[in-house]
Amino acid sequence: MFASARRRCAKSVTQASITSTDSIPTFLLPALQRPTSSRTFTTTAPCQSKIGSAPLSVPPGVTFNVLAPSTRGRGSRVQPMSTVQIKGPLGELSMEVPPYLNINQDPTLSGPTLTIADSTDAKQKAMWGTMRAYLQNHILGVSEGHSAILRFVGVGFRASVENTATTVESEFPGQKFVNLKVGYSHPVELGIPKGVTASTPQPTRLLIEGPEKEVVMQFAANIKKWRKPEPYKGKGIFVNGETIKLKNKKIK
């Protein structure tokens, strides 16, 4: 008895819905009931990295070698990485390259070219130009070298390079130290990293040179931490032509 009643109710509801949809204009119907039309999308070529796709410029006198990854780490979950060795008149640098990055050393090209395995992967696209910039900095470092000039602005601010230090112990034999006088009552001495040279052409100028750009700029940043430029009198340690906008003095 109840089954027949349910059938009659369902039949009346479907008939009412059909009559209501026929009488209502189509633009008033819900979006889900409208007939969906197939939409086509245009496909374009994947965007290439302007920096990553540019060939590396290797000057004469610099050797660029790519060493295949060792077979020891094949059983581990982490994929082994190949190593790039760059030798030049100023030293030798090495750098590990991710497995998804391929280096084409075709002699017909103007220089080694970098490509990635999957051009749709966001991580690979982001690291494409970054790795190319790192390799180019290494090539420039072993051929010409990187430098940073620190300028000391302030009354009595100066720096000197010493062979010994009283507050810092040497990390390797023959290490030299930079002695800063930037307004502290205690001596400020910093050990020069290995492979980096420092000189003072003027008492208020400090020249840092080395083949690896990251080490040179990090050492310059460590020196700058002791007296950052302040915006009221313009005193501090400035790196590579750095400037600061001065503010008006606070008047109470």
Side-chain angles (χ1 to χ4, degrees):
M1 181 175 70
F2 293 104
S4 59
R6 292 195 189 95
R7 293 194 197 97
R8 288 196 300 271
C9 292
K11 186 176 181 181
S12 62
V13 169
T14 53
Q15 290 177 356
S17 63
I18 292 171
T19 55
S20 63
T21 54
D22 293 339
S23 60
I24 298 176
T26 56
F27 65 88
L28 293 177
L29 293 175
L32 295 176
Q33 296 182 3
R34 296 178 187 175
T36 57
S37 59
S38 61
R39 184 178 178 184
T40 59
F41 294 91
T42 59
T43 58
T44 58
C47 181
Q48 301 292 331
S49 173
K50 293 182 179 180
I51 298 177
S53 58
L56 295 168
S57 59
V58 182
V62 176
T63 58
F64 186 90
N65 297 323
V66 181
L67 303 180
S70 61
T71 58
R72 294 181 180 179
R74 288 187 177 180
S76 61
R77 295 183 179 180
V78 180
Q79 295 183 358
M81 296 188 293
S82 57
T83 305
V84 177
Q85 286 187 349
I86 305 171
K87 295 181 181 180
L90 297 182
E92 177 182 354
L93 295 175
S94 62
M95 181 178 178
E96 291 186 343
V97 177
Y100 54 79
L101 195 69
N102 302 321
I103 301 177
N104 185 10
Q105 293 182 280
D106 191 353
T108 59
L109 300 175
S110 58
T113 307
L114 278 67
T115 57
I116 53 177
D118 187 4
S119 60
T120 60
D121 191 354
K123 181 181 178 182
Q124 296 185 19
K125 290 173 65 178
M127 293 301 296
W128 189 5
T130 302
M131 298 301 296
R132 191 263 176 196
Y134 279 145
L135 292 174
Q136 188 62 52
N137 286 337
H138 281 23
I139 293 173
L140 183 62
V142 298
S143 59
E144 300 179 7
H146 298 283
S147 63
I149 301 175
L150 282 73
R151 180 167 50 96
F152 296 81
V153 179
V155 178
F157 288 8
R158 61 186 184 274
S160 61
V161 179
E162 307 292 343
N163 294 327
T164 58
T166 57
T167 60
V168 183
E169 295 182 359
S170 60
E171 299 177 356
F172 55 90
Q175 184 182 20
K176 294 186 178 182
F177 304 88
V178 174
N179 189 359
L180 303 178
K181 304 223 173 136
V182 288
Y184 292 97
S185 59
H186 59 84
V188 178
E189 297 171 333
L190 299 174
I192 301 175
K194 194 172 185 179
V196 178
T197 60
S199 60
T200 54
Q202 297 178 8
T204 58
R205 297 289 188 275
L206 180 64
L207 176 62
I208 303 173
E209 296 176 307
E212 196 167 357
K213 185 177 182 179
E214 299 170 59
V215 178
V216 171
M217 298 307 297
Q218 184 61 48
F219 184 55
N222 294 339
I223 296 175
K224 180 183 174 181
K225 286 180 183 179
W226 287 97
R227 188 63 69 182
K228 294 182 180 180
E230 54 90 17
Y232 293 102
K233 293 185 179 180
K235 295 182 179 180
I237 303 174
F238 297 84
V239 181
N240 286 339
E242 179 185 3
T243 58
I244 188 171
K245 186 177 180 180
L246 297 179
K247 297 181 180 179
N248 295 328
K249 295 182 180 179
K250 295 181 180 179
I251 301 175
K252 296 183 180 179

